[in-house]
Amino acid sequence: MRGWMGKFRSLILFGALTLFLSGCGVENMTALKPEGYGANLLFDLMMISIAIMLFVFIIVMAIYTFVLIRYRQKKGQEDYIPKQTEGNKALEMIWTVIPIILLLVLAVPTVQATFDLADTGAKNDEDAITIEVTGNQYWWHFNYKGQEITTSQDLYIPTGERVYLDLKSSDVIHSFWVPSIAGKMDTNPGENVNSMYLEAFEEGVYWGQCAELCGPSHSLMDFKVIAVSPEEFDQWVKDMQNVDPEAEPKTASAKEGQELFNNNCMSCHAIGSGGAGIAPNLTNFGNRTMIAGILEPTKENLVNWIVNPDEIKPGNQMPANLVSEEEASKIADYLLQLKHSEVTPDSAGDNNQK
Amino acid sequence: MSTAVAQNRGLGAAIWDYLTTVDHKKIAHLYLVSGGLFFLIGGLEAMIIRIQLMEPSNNFISAGLYNEMITMHGTTMIFLAAMPIIFALMNAVVPLQIGARDVAFPFLNSLGFWLFLFGGLILNISWFTGAPDAGWTNYAPLSTTSPGHGVDYYVMGLQISGAGTLIGGINFLVTIVNMRAPGMTYMRMPLFTWTVFVTSTLILFAFPALTVGLFLMMFDRMFGSAFFDVALGGNAMIWEHLFWIFGHPEVYILILPAFGAFSEIFSTFSKKRLFGYSAMVFATVLIGFLAFMVWAHHMFTVGMGPIANSIFAVATMAIAVPTGIKIFNWLFTMWGGNIRMTTAMLWSIAFIPTFTIGGMTGVMLAAAAADYQYHDTYFVVAHFHYVIVGGLVFGIFAALHYWWPKMFGQVLSEGLGKLTFWLFFIGFHLTFFIQHFLGLIGMPRRYWTYQEGQGLELGNMISTVGAFLMAIGTLVFLYNIVQTAVKGEKVSGDPWDGRTLEWAIPSPPPHYNFKQTPLVRGLDALWVEKMEGKNGMTPAEPLGDIHMPNNSILPFLMSLGLFIAGFGFIYQVDNKMWLILVFIGMGITLGSMLTRSVKDDLGHHIHKEDLEKGAGE
């Protein structure tokens, strides 16, 4: 019996752990606290399936427990030979038919949700916002279609509205995942463009990740979705459309930085809506939540990153030691003052944790 | 030829004996030892992964090395640990269970093993030159553009090893169809044999898909073709489909024999025949069939569209029905029985709730849209470890404790066995249960590190602690093997009061297995005889000369040739001089094949008189 109690105790322990953990996790990164339409739909689907599965599990465990307690060999029973039952047609029918019914109950909402989330037909409407998302090793490129806005890493969207995404990759397969707003979708190389939509209920900064192994820095390919009110979003769009890439910075060091940047970095990077898209577009860089998706936006981190990118994100395309540390410091001054919009991650309100 | 079996038991002779053996029982030992070694290597890789993830922003190993670790861990565990140990059990048990003296193609059996082993060696030699780093699924274009030769090792290693598995599968298919003892109809076959039969069929159909995929990958990487290169008109999705058309049945190839072993163990240690035998057989075949229909559920987020996703979702859910039938039939096998809590039974009993959880999360994953959240997260990692460890590894431990006396003539220590069990069982649940939640709160799979403040610290810590417990449990098991071997206590042929044919002969069996082929008169053939008060099987033939195959070094040489040629293929990209190795290696292989073709080898006889004297064992 002792083995049995042990197992039960561990089961209870796991149950408690479950309850404890479901309250855990960071609010804007968990699939368990949906903040958007897709995540919400998927959360409901998860709950239906968990309910059905727990029902089955409890039945199995009930029979299991009974059998093991009741029919365990007792002292003096060593030679007892039980009746050799062949089977039982009625019982076997029951545990064939009931699971089929349970699965049908699950299959219907599954198919509904699958079609619902694939319904991106409205993306060609005139007032729909469609964003082309390109996964790159190891950063995200966002091109707001028909708006002449190009950004990377921070994706601004309005709340309460469906924002359509066309997803593709410039190199290997990545997967675009914002757990608390929507599910994920792969970005494929070539002409396999995938579509999905995001709809955030509340303002906030939501953490996104790459979910498909894409190289050494796969785990560092983070991005943020910044959901702001529709008015703020309109403001942001206006600001971003009026970016002047040539604008002169105020401080002397930043001015030198601008020149260094133009001479050394512009062959890959861009500011404004142009650029080849072979490296992150740095428009509005000063308002970024993070540098390279993972570092706190401080000058020290930025200088480090410019001089030695491979130490921070192994395997990325940016060459090391392109500029000296002194030059990098000036470039950092320039980049950090690139605040092209009044609308910043802070505008996204209380939900902002970073 | 005479009855000559190596009498000289010197070390050299013993090694030569194993290098040349075509005896399925010795090949079982070979599979077990090499699979066990690879299992330890894979386990070590797992421990390194868990140490790296113990705390946020850890730098225990570099990002590149980490990707090599996860790739090799997955590849090693599936191809080099699980498959060969399954093959060890198949070799050790199936011919005995069906009352055969040997497998259908003893030479091919040996060839299959050596190909597997040399393929595995190629894969692991890559550790010295840069291991594959594109994940065990090796998705293009990450794999086709991966620098260095890591992925080339993956391609060559798996190609050679996979050929061995395919050969082994065909051999068992033919063995089971053709070599059953008189009276053993299909519906009297023990369930383990049934599951091996279905598994062999799956191997026959699934492995060619892998072979094709690996060839395309090989041409892309080594000979400049562009099957997966979108820039030149290829399509990277082809690899995903080919891989999963193989990869999904693969998990059933692994799990079905474990189901078979559990069926035997539940039945034996409950002293009851299997409940719903015919339903179990039907469920096994149905699972095997459905295994081929659902591969695209690994690709719900690839963008196949809602129609394909829905079809594959529903087809996948359907697998839960036959699996459920099995679970309930096992429960009702114990119902009304006389349950003995041996170590083998303990593992089997622990399998039921564990695998049920794995099955439940499987159905959850099958809900296509919900998979947009689960896919490529730790939820999936948790799910497949519940299924593969909770099903297959538990199954291997159960089966090893159960059949160890048949294989080696000694019973493993029950006390140490139970200690192993509890350490491993608790460690396992600590490691993987929490990973369901890590996935749901946003931890993607194959992450080298995670940031502080993402709420992932505690879960990862618990997981790592659990992994250490599992490792300790495994070490206790190794100690158990050594201790048992040193003690060397011999057991009878039937230590568990068994029901099937393998328990009717001595442990370990003589190399001709059955002196006289037994006559099978019902399901659980030995049990039928026991119930009629007899000690052993009724023979189906008079005592006579037994024909046995001769040993041969050729399978070893053929595989060695391919092993050498493999390096030539890998490195000819750098320098054409390496093609010399290709010619030498292929020369050895083709020369061995030619020798095999032109040289008559008719085997030998064990004479009646010797059998009567009890010699030749």
Side-chain angles (χ1 to χ4, degrees):
Chain A
M1 290 308 268
R2 283 210 57 205
W4 277 104
M5 292 314 288
K7 192 172 289 179
F8 265 109
R9 236 175 280 145
S10 55
L11 267 176
I12 290 163
L13 187 78
F14 288 131
L17 212 60
T18 311
L19 284 174
F20 167 64
L21 269 170
S22 52
C24 216
V26 179
E27 211 160 272
N28 44 15
M29 197 177 82
T30 172
L32 298 175
K33 273 205 168 173
E35 300 281 357
Y37 180 84
N40 203 34
L41 189 70
L42 299 180
F43 183 75
D44 291 344
L45 192 55
M46 267 183 224
M47 289 304 126
I48 297 173
S49 57
I50 287 179
I52 294 175
M53 294 302 125
L54 276 182
F55 170 72
V56 176
F57 188 67
I58 289 167
I59 292 178
V60 169
M61 290 315 289
I63 300 175
Y64 178 80
T65 315
F66 173 76
V67 164
L68 288 176
I69 293 174
R70 171 73 183 74
Y71 296 108
R72 189 163 172 188
Q73 189 175 78
K74 316 218 166 39
K75 274 224 166 68
Q77 271 190 346
E78 284 77 12
D79 295 327
Y80 164 68
I81 293 172
K83 188 166 169 257
Q84 304 288 308
T85 33
E86 197 163 315
N88 184 320
K89 286 279 169 320
L91 273 175
E92 288 171 55
M93 283 311 284
I94 288 174
W95 60 63
T96 308
V97 172
I98 291 181
I100 292 177
I101 295 169
L102 290 177
L103 290 179
L104 285 177
V105 171
L106 180 61
V108 172
T110 296
V111 173
Q112 273 174 348
T114 307
F115 276 86
D116 183 345
L117 293 176
D119 179 18
T120 52
K123 73 176 176 182
N124 298 322
D125 291 357
E126 224 160 79
D127 51 350
I129 303 169
T130 305
I131 304 164
E132 200 180 69
V133 176
T134 311
N136 303 276
Q137 284 170 325
Y138 303 94
W139 56 280
W140 297 90
H141 175 89
F142 306 118
N143 177 29
Y144 290 67
K145 276 189 178 168
Q147 311 252 34
E148 309 241 313
I149 299 174
T150 315
T151 61
S152 53
Q153 296 298 66
D154 283 5
L155 179 68
Y156 284 78
I157 60 167
T159 55
E161 193 176 332
R162 283 193 182 177
V163 174
Y164 296 93
L165 306 179
D166 281 342
L167 303 140
K168 59 177 190 160
S169 163
S170 71
D171 37 53
V172 302
I173 301 168
H174 304 274
S175 193
F176 179 91
W177 186 33
V178 203
S180 41
I181 312 189
K184 68 177 72 64
M185 187 63 94
D186 289 2
T187 68
N188 297 319
E191 280 153 33
N192 292 312
V193 176
N194 286 330
S195 296
M196 67 182 280
Y197 59 82
L198 300 178
E199 184 184 335
F201 297 145
E202 303 275 341
E203 295 186 18
V205 176
Y206 300 100
W207 292 12
Q209 286 144 318
C210 175
E212 181 63 60
L213 180 65
C214 57
S217 286
H218 166 54
S219 59
L220 305 174
M221 195 172 152
D222 289 14
F223 62 99
K224 305 285 180 293
V225 173
I226 298 160
V228 293
S229 69
E231 300 78 46
E232 284 172 315
F233 182 73
D234 290 341
Q235 179 64 41
W236 182 81
V237 167
K238 216 170 282 165
D239 292 341
M240 292 298 283
Q241 284 171 335
N242 292 325
V243 170
D244 174 13
E246 308 291 317
E248 291 241 334
K250 290 188 187 89
T251 66
S253 151
K255 262 180 212 164
E256 278 180 59
Q258 183 181 31
E259 200 159 307
L260 285 164
F261 182 83
N262 288 345
N263 292 338
N264 292 300
C265 315
M266 284 294 259
S267 50
C268 301
H269 292 281
I271 290 165
S273 63
I278 53 173
N281 182 302
L282 299 179
T283 318
N284 207 17
F285 187 85
N287 284 332
R288 285 266 185 93
T289 49
M290 293 274 181
I291 293 166
I294 45 164
L295 300 173
E296 293 295 328
T298 63
K299 185 176 166 189
E300 195 196 344
N301 279 340
L302 183 54
V303 172
N304 254 339
W305 166 238
I306 294 172
V307 178
N308 252 327
D310 207 61
E311 250 167 48
I312 290 158
K313 274 192 177 184
N316 84 83
Q317 307 288 319
M318 186 148 97
N321 296 316
L322 200 61
V323 293
S324 70
E325 202 160 326
E326 201 183 334
E327 290 169 318
S329 159
K330 289 171 185 164
I331 293 175
D333 280 336
Y334 168 61
L335 291 177
L336 287 171
Q337 58 84 44
L338 287 174
K339 298 186 175 179
H340 294 112
S341 176
E342 303 282 301
V343 182
T344 66
D346 290 332
S347 317
D350 297 340
N351 265 335
N352 176 18
Q353 290 204 345
K354 277 271 168 203
Chain B
M1 286 282 293
S2 72
T3 58
V5 178
Q7 294 296 313
N8 173 9
R9 298 308 294 170
L11 183 66
I15 290 176
W16 180 252
D17 187 30
Y18 271 104
L19 286 179
T20 59
T21 189
V22 293
D23 179 356
H24 65 94
K25 296 176 290 296
K26 285 185 181 148
I27 291 174
H29 297 172
L30 290 170
Y31 268 119
L32 186 63
V33 170
S34 46
L37 279 176
F38 286 126
F39 179 76
L40 294 180
I41 295 174
L44 193 66
E45 285 152 7
M47 294 313 294
I48 292 172
I49 293 170
R50 278 319 319 166
I51 292 171
Q52 164 64 22
L53 292 175
M54 197 157 59
E55 53 188 27
S57 306
N58 198 358
N59 260 323
F60 178 64
I61 54 172
S62 73
L65 185 58
Y66 181 83
N67 284 353
E68 296 180 359
M69 282 295 162
I70 55 162
T71 303
M72 287 298 285
H73 169 67
T75 311
T76 302
M77 284 307 197
I78 296 284
F79 290 99
L80 308 181
M83 288 298 285
I85 296 177
I86 290 292
F87 266 94
L89 293 172
M90 286 158 75
N91 269 296
V93 176
V94 168
L96 305 184
Q97 276 199 332
I98 62 175
R101 292 219 167 88
D102 207 334
V103 292
F105 306 116
F107 182 89
L108 284 189
N109 202 12
S110 162
L111 179 60
F113 167 75
W114 291 109
L115 285 173
F116 143 72
L117 183 67
F118 279 113
L121 287 179
I122 288 188
L123 264 168
N124 276 282
I125 285 172
S126 74
W127 277 122
F128 300 104
T129 61
D133 58 356
W136 87 279
T137 53
N138 206 44
Y139 278 8
L142 183 63
S143 52
T144 47
T145 55
S146 163
H149 286 297
V151 175
D152 302 326
Y153 276 95
Y154 173 98
V155 169
M156 284 321 299
L158 288 193
Q159 192 67 283
I160 293 172
S161 175
T165 307
L166 185 57
I167 287 172
I170 292 170
N171 186 14
F172 275 93
L173 206 55
V174 179
T175 303
I176 294 170
V177 171
N178 275 343
M179 300 187 65
R180 282 166 291 135
M184 179 165 283
T185 60
Y186 280 102
M187 292 312 279
R188 283 179 184 174
M189 275 185 343
L191 213 77
F192 182 72
T193 299
W194 253 114
T195 54
V196 169
F197 181 58
V198 175
T199 279
S200 303
T201 318
L202 295 190
I203 289 175
L204 180 63
F205 288 106
F207 268 75
L210 177 71
T211 307
V212 168
L214 288 172
F215 269 129
L216 299 186
M217 180 72 70
M218 177 177 171
F219 294 156
D220 265 20
R221 282 194 58 103
M222 300 180 202
F223 303 119
S225 66
F227 293 103
F228 307 123
D229 185 351
V230 284
L232 294 171
N235 188 333
M237 297 302 112
I238 296 171
W239 171 264
E240 283 190 45
H241 280 289
L242 282 173
F243 186 84
W244 288 118
I245 286 172
F246 148 76
H248 192 78
E250 168 69 12
V251 296
Y252 292 87
I253 289 170
L254 296 174
I255 199 69
L256 285 177
F259 284 175
F262 289 129
S263 302
E264 305 287 326
I265 291 167
F266 280 129
S267 169
T268 301
F269 294 114
S270 303
K271 276 202 186 175
K272 271 184 70 197
R273 63 168 282 173
L274 194 67
F275 193 88
Y277 171 85
S278 48
M280 290 298 253
V281 169
F282 177 72
T284 305
V285 175
L286 192 62
I287 291 173
F289 174 76
L290 286 173
F292 279 98
M293 303 296 136
V294 299
W295 80 89
H297 68 211
H298 295 268
M299 300 166 66
F300 282 148
T301 65
V302 162
M304 297 182 300
I307 298 173
N309 277 3
S310 299
I311 290 171
F312 280 103
V314 176
T316 305
M317 288 177 191
I319 295 187
V321 177
T323 314
I325 291 176
K326 280 180 167 269
I327 297 269
F328 284 108
N329 276 329
W330 285 320
L331 289 176
F332 276 78
T333 301
M334 292 190 281
W335 188 293
N338 188 7
I339 302 173
R340 267 181 295 164
M341 282 299 170
T342 56
T343 307
M345 188 65 166
L346 211 52
W347 283 106
S348 312
I349 284 170
F351 150 82
I352 287 186
T354 312
F355 195 81
T356 307
I357 294 174
M360 285 161 53
T361 50
V363 175
M364 290 171 70
L365 281 162
D371 187 56
Y372 301 161
Q373 289 289 24
Y374 310 133
H375 184 74
D376 267 338
T377 69
Y378 265 73
F379 188 87
V380 175
V381 176
H383 158 74
F384 69 68
H385 281 96
Y386 261 77
V387 176
I388 295 181
V389 180
L392 177 64
V393 177
F394 282 21
I396 286 172
F397 274 120
L400 285 179
H401 281 94
Y402 181 59
W403 279 310
W404 198 268
K406 190 46 63 184
M407 290 177 79
F408 298 100
Q410 300 160 342
V411 181
L412 287 171
S413 153
E414 284 284 298
L416 286 174
K418 283 175 182 166
L419 180 63
T420 302
F421 167 78
W422 285 110
L423 285 168
F424 199 92
F425 178 78
I426 295 169
F428 166 78
H429 283 282
L430 271 185
T431 309
F432 294 108
F433 192 75
I434 202 122
Q435 292 186 357
H436 294 111
F437 295 93
L438 282 174
L440 292 174
I441 63 174
M443 182 159 167
R445 177 182 179 186
R446 293 167 167 169
Y447 261 31
W448 161 58
T449 187
Y450 48 96
Q451 313 295 309
E452 216 164 330
Q454 290 186 324
L456 305 173
E457 291 91 340
L458 178 67
N460 274 298
M461 188 45 136
I462 293 175
S463 193
T464 302
V465 171
F468 274 98
L469 279 183
M470 289 167 79
I472 298 170
T474 309
L475 292 179
V476 174
F477 181 67
L478 289 181
Y479 176 72
N480 192 353
I481 292 175
V482 174
Q483 200 211 41
T484 307
V486 170
K487 263 194 187 165
E489 283 171 28
K490 295 287 171 202
V491 289
S492 72
D494 184 16
W496 309 120
D497 193 9
R499 309 170 66 87
T500 40
L501 276 179
E502 74 267 33
W503 305 111
I505 50 175
S507 300
H511 86 285
Y512 45 78
N513 295 350
F514 295 88
K515 207 178 279 183
Q516 288 162 285
T517 303
L519 178 67
V520 174
R521 299 192 298 147
L523 180 67
D524 291 346
L526 181 59
W527 184 258
V528 171
E529 305 293 331
K530 279 182 185 173
M531 285 299 103
E532 291 185 3
K534 292 181 194 148
N535 278 330
M537 297 300 299
T538 314
E541 57 174 16
L543 193 63
D545 292 357
I546 296 174
H547 177 248
M548 296 300 286
N550 286 333
N551 285 356
S552 170
I553 190 67
L554 291 177
F556 176 84
L557 289 179
M558 287 180 193
S559 312
L560 180 69
L562 287 179
F563 174 76
I564 294 169
F567 286 95
F569 279 116
I570 292 171
Y571 286 102
Q572 54 81 30
V573 177
D574 302 338
N575 186 335
K576 291 294 166 206
M577 290 300 281
W578 285 93
L579 285 175
I580 293 169
L581 274 194
V582 173
F583 291 122
I584 294 174
M586 293 311 285
I588 295 175
T589 302
L590 294 172
S592 305
M593 289 166 77
L594 187 70
T595 313
R596 164 84 175 154
S597 302
V598 297
K599 198 179 140 226
D600 279 337
D601 184 353
L602 300 174
H604 61 273
H605 281 92
I606 300 168
H607 296 296
K608 193 174 156 189
E609 304 78 56
D610 295 328
L611 286 171
E612 279 166 347
K613 275 183 280 175
E617 291 188 8

